[in-house]
Amino acid sequence: FDAWSGKIGAADQAGEKLGFTNQQVEDGLARLETMVKNPAVALKDLAVAEDVARARGMDLTTAANMVGKASDGTYTALVKLGVVTAAQAKQFTSGADAVNFLGKAFGGQAAAYADTFAGKLQVLKATSEDVGKNLGLVLIPIIEGVASALASTIHWITDHSGALTTMAEIVA
């Protein structure tokens, strides 16, 4: 995993610029990796899935599933959705051919969408969600530490309340 964390982070950032949240990118990537069983191919196919998702108005996981099936040599979903014709599907000699076709047919659609007003709003939404999530990941351990220290202090005060009362009476 460590070897791929930087590449996954880069995919998250690239997806964010296209209006996909880190969660959506990672869900799509997980779907692809499960299907193609090769992280390098899954990362390459993710870009195709992002373009297909934006071009066809579908969520990224659905598009990733479709691209993963195509990569695996199953073209039925592509034909049913009207992405390719049955004649085109018969011409594919491999899953890679199908994914390359999708890449050529839909290439640049996610970037084009991101340049629209709706796309810019989606990018803003994805970025703000991811910033909130990342901020939470940083702050939660700090808040937990403060809460733990506070709980320990309260526990200590409770355990030593008699001594504290005596000290307060002496000082007063």
Side-chain angles (χ1 to χ4, degrees):
F1 176 76
D2 289 339
W4 290 98
S5 65
K7 292 178 182 181
I8 293 169
D12 282 340
Q13 289 178 345
E16 205 171 76
K17 291 177 184 171
L18 301 172
F20 296 107
T21 65
N22 292 348
Q23 186 66 50
Q24 291 169 325
V25 169
E26 291 168 16
D27 288 348
L29 188 57
R31 187 79 194 114
L32 284 164
E33 207 291 317
T34 300
M35 296 176 86
V36 300
K37 310 227 182 321
N38 182 328
V41 172
L43 280 166
K44 183 176 104 13
D45 289 356
L46 179 66
V48 175
E50 290 169 337
D51 284 328
V52 170
R54 291 300 186 217
R56 302 298 288 187
M58 61 179 60
D59 66 88
L60 184 55
T61 303
T62 301
N65 192 48
M66 187 172 64
V67 171
K69 284 182 179 181
S71 184
D72 199 32
T74 305
Y75 315 124
T76 309
L78 299 177
V79 175
K80 282 183 181 177
L81 287 172
V83 175
V84 299
T85 65
Q88 288 170 321
K90 287 180 183 177
Q91 293 178 359
F92 298 143
T93 58
S94 68
D97 281 352
V99 174
N100 287 338
F101 176 85
L102 291 172
K104 288 177 185 168
F106 296 105
Q109 292 298 305
Y113 174 80
D115 282 339
T116 66
F117 180 71
K120 289 179 189 303
L121 290 176
Q122 196 65 36
V123 169
L124 179 62
K125 180 181 176 192
T127 303
S128 62
E129 273 186 44
D130 291 339
V131 166
K133 177 198 73 152
N134 293 334
L135 185 60
L137 290 174
V138 170
L139 290 179
I140 286 173
I142 294 169
I143 292 169
E144 285 176 342
V146 169
S148 178
L150 199 56
S152 294
T153 302
I154 291 170
H155 182 67
W156 185 88
I157 291 170
T158 303
D159 287 349
H160 298 91
S161 62
L164 290 172
T165 303
T166 304
M167 284 176 50
E169 289 173 356
I170 294 170
V171 172

PDB file of all heavy atoms in Angstrom, residues 20-35:
ATOM      1  N   PHE A  20     -14.675  15.412  -8.432  1.00  0.00           N
ATOM      2  CA  PHE A  20     -14.913  14.166  -7.703  1.00  0.00           C
ATOM      3  C   PHE A  20     -14.258  14.266  -6.328  1.00  0.00           C
ATOM      4  O   PHE A  20     -13.120  14.729  -6.219  1.00  0.00           O
ATOM      5  CB  PHE A  20     -14.320  12.961  -8.450  1.00  0.00           C
ATOM      6  CG  PHE A  20     -14.941  12.696  -9.786  1.00  0.00           C
ATOM      7  CD1 PHE A  20     -14.263  12.974 -10.954  1.00  0.00           C
ATOM      8  CD2 PHE A  20     -16.224  12.170  -9.879  1.00  0.00           C
ATOM      9  CE1 PHE A  20     -14.830  12.734 -12.196  1.00  0.00           C
ATOM     10  CE2 PHE A  20     -16.801  11.921 -11.121  1.00  0.00           C
ATOM     11  CZ  PHE A  20     -16.101  12.208 -12.277  1.00  0.00           C
ATOM     12  N   THR A  21     -14.958  13.837  -5.291  1.00  0.00           N
ATOM     13  CA  THR A  21     -14.365  13.843  -3.954  1.00  0.00           C
ATOM     14  C   THR A  21     -13.341  12.719  -3.850  1.00  0.00           C
ATOM     15  O   THR A  21     -13.332  11.778  -4.656  1.00  0.00           O
ATOM     16  CB  THR A  21     -15.436  13.628  -2.861  1.00  0.00           C
ATOM     17  OG1 THR A  21     -15.988  12.318  -3.014  1.00  0.00           O
ATOM     18  CG2 THR A  21     -16.529  14.684  -2.922  1.00  0.00           C
ATOM     19  N   ASN A  22     -12.490  12.812  -2.838  1.00  0.00           N
ATOM     20  CA  ASN A  22     -11.513  11.754  -2.595  1.00  0.00           C
ATOM     21  C   ASN A  22     -12.226  10.418  -2.402  1.00  0.00           C
ATOM     22  O   ASN A  22     -11.759   9.386  -2.887  1.00  0.00           O
ATOM     23  CB  ASN A  22     -10.663  12.057  -1.360  1.00  0.00           C
ATOM     24  CG  ASN A  22      -9.750  13.245  -1.548  1.00  0.00           C
ATOM     25  OD1 ASN A  22      -9.555  13.742  -2.645  1.00  0.00           O
ATOM     26  ND2 ASN A  22      -9.191  13.721  -0.460  1.00  0.00           N
ATOM     27  N   GLN A  23     -13.343  10.441  -1.709  1.00  0.00           N
ATOM     28  CA  GLN A  23     -14.097   9.205  -1.469  1.00  0.00           C
ATOM     29  C   GLN A  23     -14.587   8.601  -2.779  1.00  0.00           C
ATOM     30  O   GLN A  23     -14.493   7.390  -2.978  1.00  0.00           O
ATOM     31  CB  GLN A  23     -15.284   9.481  -0.533  1.00  0.00           C
ATOM     32  CG  GLN A  23     -16.029   8.234  -0.116  1.00  0.00           C
ATOM     33  CD  GLN A  23     -15.180   7.320   0.754  1.00  0.00           C
ATOM     34  OE1 GLN A  23     -14.598   7.765   1.724  1.00  0.00           O
ATOM     35  NE2 GLN A  23     -15.091   6.052   0.398  1.00  0.00           N
ATOM     36  N   GLN A  24     -15.100   9.437  -3.664  1.00  0.00           N
ATOM     37  CA  GLN A  24     -15.581   8.935  -4.951  1.00  0.00           C
ATOM     38  C   GLN A  24     -14.434   8.349  -5.773  1.00  0.00           C
ATOM     39  O   GLN A  24     -14.575   7.283  -6.380  1.00  0.00           O
ATOM     40  CB  GLN A  24     -16.260  10.064  -5.743  1.00  0.00           C
ATOM     41  CG  GLN A  24     -17.573  10.512  -5.142  1.00  0.00           C
ATOM     42  CD  GLN A  24     -18.092  11.794  -5.775  1.00  0.00           C
ATOM     43  OE1 GLN A  24     -17.332  12.683  -6.144  1.00  0.00           O
ATOM     44  NE2 GLN A  24     -19.414  11.883  -5.884  1.00  0.00           N
ATOM     45  N   VAL A  25     -13.302   9.042  -5.785  1.00  0.00           N
ATOM     46  CA  VAL A  25     -12.135   8.559  -6.524  1.00  0.00           C
ATOM     47  C   VAL A  25     -11.664   7.229  -5.948  1.00  0.00           C
ATOM     48  O   VAL A  25     -11.422   6.267  -6.689  1.00  0.00           O
ATOM     49  CB  VAL A  25     -10.993   9.605  -6.501  1.00  0.00           C
ATOM     50  CG1 VAL A  25      -9.688   9.014  -7.024  1.00  0.00           C
ATOM     51  CG2 VAL A  25     -11.386  10.837  -7.308  1.00  0.00           C
ATOM     52  N   GLU A  26     -11.547   7.160  -4.633  1.00  0.00           N
ATOM     53  CA  GLU A  26     -11.049   5.940  -4.003  1.00  0.00           C
ATOM     54  C   GLU A  26     -12.034   4.783  -4.158  1.00  0.00           C
ATOM     55  O   GLU A  26     -11.611   3.635  -4.330  1.00  0.00           O
ATOM     56  CB  GLU A  26     -10.689   6.212  -2.555  1.00  0.00           C
ATOM     57  CG  GLU A  26      -9.457   7.104  -2.452  1.00  0.00           C
ATOM     58  CD  GLU A  26      -9.197   7.663  -1.071  1.00  0.00           C
ATOM     59  OE1 GLU A  26      -9.757   7.155  -0.086  1.00  0.00           O
ATOM     60  OE2 GLU A  26      -8.423   8.638  -0.986  1.00  0.00           O
ATOM     61  N   ASP A  27     -13.342   5.064  -4.138  1.00  0.00           N
ATOM     62  CA  ASP A  27     -14.336   4.018  -4.383  1.00  0.00           C
ATOM     63  C   ASP A  27     -14.227   3.500  -5.815  1.00  0.00           C
ATOM     64  O   ASP A  27     -14.261   2.286  -6.054  1.00  0.00           O
ATOM     65  CB  ASP A  27     -15.755   4.523  -4.123  1.00  0.00           C
ATOM     66  CG  ASP A  27     -16.065   4.713  -2.645  1.00  0.00           C
ATOM     67  OD1 ASP A  27     -15.271   4.252  -1.793  1.00  0.00           O
ATOM     68  OD2 ASP A  27     -17.105   5.334  -2.342  1.00  0.00           O
ATOM     69  N   GLY A  28     -14.100   4.420  -6.761  1.00  0.00           N
ATOM     70  CA  GLY A  28     -13.950   4.020  -8.161  1.00  0.00           C
ATOM     71  C   GLY A  28     -12.670   3.237  -8.387  1.00  0.00           C
ATOM     72  O   GLY A  28     -12.652   2.218  -9.087  1.00  0.00           O
ATOM     73  N   LEU A  29     -11.595   3.706  -7.776  1.00  0.00           N
ATOM     74  CA  LEU A  29     -10.304   3.026  -7.902  1.00  0.00           C
ATOM     75  C   LEU A  29     -10.347   1.635  -7.277  1.00  0.00           C
ATOM     76  O   LEU A  29      -9.841   0.667  -7.852  1.00  0.00           O
ATOM     77  CB  LEU A  29      -9.207   3.879  -7.253  1.00  0.00           C
ATOM     78  CG  LEU A  29      -7.779   3.427  -7.455  1.00  0.00           C
ATOM     79  CD1 LEU A  29      -7.434   3.316  -8.937  1.00  0.00           C
ATOM     80  CD2 LEU A  29      -6.832   4.404  -6.766  1.00  0.00           C
ATOM     81  N   ALA A  30     -10.984   1.533  -6.125  1.00  0.00           N
ATOM     82  CA  ALA A  30     -11.113   0.224  -5.464  1.00  0.00           C
ATOM     83  C   ALA A  30     -11.910  -0.731  -6.344  1.00  0.00           C
ATOM     84  O   ALA A  30     -11.572  -1.912  -6.466  1.00  0.00           O
ATOM     85  CB  ALA A  30     -11.780   0.383  -4.106  1.00  0.00           C
ATOM     86  N   ARG A  31     -12.966  -0.217  -6.958  1.00  0.00           N
ATOM     87  CA  ARG A  31     -13.793  -1.048  -7.843  1.00  0.00           C
ATOM     88  C   ARG A  31     -12.960  -1.559  -9.003  1.00  0.00           C
ATOM     89  O   ARG A  31     -12.990  -2.734  -9.352  1.00  0.00           O
ATOM     90  CB  ARG A  31     -14.982  -0.218  -8.357  1.00  0.00           C
ATOM     91  CG  ARG A  31     -15.967  -1.012  -9.119  1.00  0.00           C
ATOM     92  CD  ARG A  31     -16.839  -1.759  -8.098  1.00  0.00           C
ATOM     93  NE  ARG A  31     -17.591  -2.790  -8.738  1.00  0.00           N
ATOM     94  CZ  ARG A  31     -17.411  -4.094  -8.519  1.00  0.00           C
ATOM     95  NH1 ARG A  31     -16.504  -4.509  -7.681  1.00  0.00           N
ATOM     96  NH2 ARG A  31     -18.145  -4.977  -9.102  1.00  0.00           N
ATOM     97  N   LEU A  32     -12.208  -0.650  -9.624  1.00  0.00           N
ATOM     98  CA  LEU A  32     -11.374  -1.028 -10.763  1.00  0.00           C
ATOM     99  C   LEU A  32     -10.290  -2.021 -10.359  1.00  0.00           C
ATOM    100  O   LEU A  32     -10.053  -3.006 -11.056  1.00  0.00           O
ATOM    101  CB  LEU A  32     -10.743   0.213 -11.398  1.00  0.00           C
ATOM    102  CG  LEU A  32     -11.672   1.049 -12.259  1.00  0.00           C
ATOM    103  CD1 LEU A  32     -11.079   2.421 -12.514  1.00  0.00           C
ATOM    104  CD2 LEU A  32     -11.956   0.331 -13.565  1.00  0.00           C
ATOM    105  N   GLU A  33      -9.631  -1.758  -9.243  1.00  0.00           N
ATOM    106  CA  GLU A  33      -8.529  -2.630  -8.820  1.00  0.00           C
ATOM    107  C   GLU A  33      -9.052  -4.030  -8.522  1.00  0.00           C
ATOM    108  O   GLU A  33      -8.397  -5.023  -8.837  1.00  0.00           O
ATOM    109  CB  GLU A  33      -7.820  -2.045  -7.598  1.00  0.00           C
ATOM    110  CG  GLU A  33      -6.362  -2.443  -7.465  1.00  0.00           C
ATOM    111  CD  GLU A  33      -6.131  -3.894  -7.128  1.00  0.00           C
ATOM    112  OE1 GLU A  33      -6.831  -4.428  -6.269  1.00  0.00           O
ATOM    113  OE2 GLU A  33      -5.241  -4.501  -7.741  1.00  0.00           O
ATOM    114  N   THR A  34     -10.237  -4.104  -7.938  1.00  0.00           N
ATOM    115  CA  THR A  34     -10.843  -5.406  -7.660  1.00  0.00           C
ATOM    116  C   THR A  34     -11.115  -6.163  -8.958  1.00  0.00           C
ATOM    117  O   THR A  34     -10.940  -7.374  -9.019  1.00  0.00           O
ATOM    118  CB  THR A  34     -12.167  -5.215  -6.884  1.00  0.00           C
ATOM    119  OG1 THR A  34     -11.882  -4.552  -5.654  1.00  0.00           O
ATOM    120  CG2 THR A  34     -12.834  -6.534  -6.590  1.00  0.00           C
ATOM    121  N   MET A  35     -11.502  -5.433  -9.971  1.00  0.00           N
ATOM    122  CA  MET A  35     -11.857  -6.079 -11.242  1.00  0.00           C
ATOM    123  C   MET A  35     -10.638  -6.416 -12.097  1.00  0.00           C
ATOM    124  O   MET A  35     -10.554  -7.513 -12.638  1.00  0.00           O
ATOM    125  CB  MET A  35     -12.822  -5.185 -12.018  1.00  0.00           C
ATOM    126  CG  MET A  35     -14.146  -4.986 -11.296  1.00  0.00           C
ATOM    127  SD  MET A  35     -15.237  -3.864 -12.144  1.00  0.00           S
ATOM    128  CE  MET A  35     -16.018  -5.013 -13.273  1.00  0.00           C
TER     129      MET A  35
END
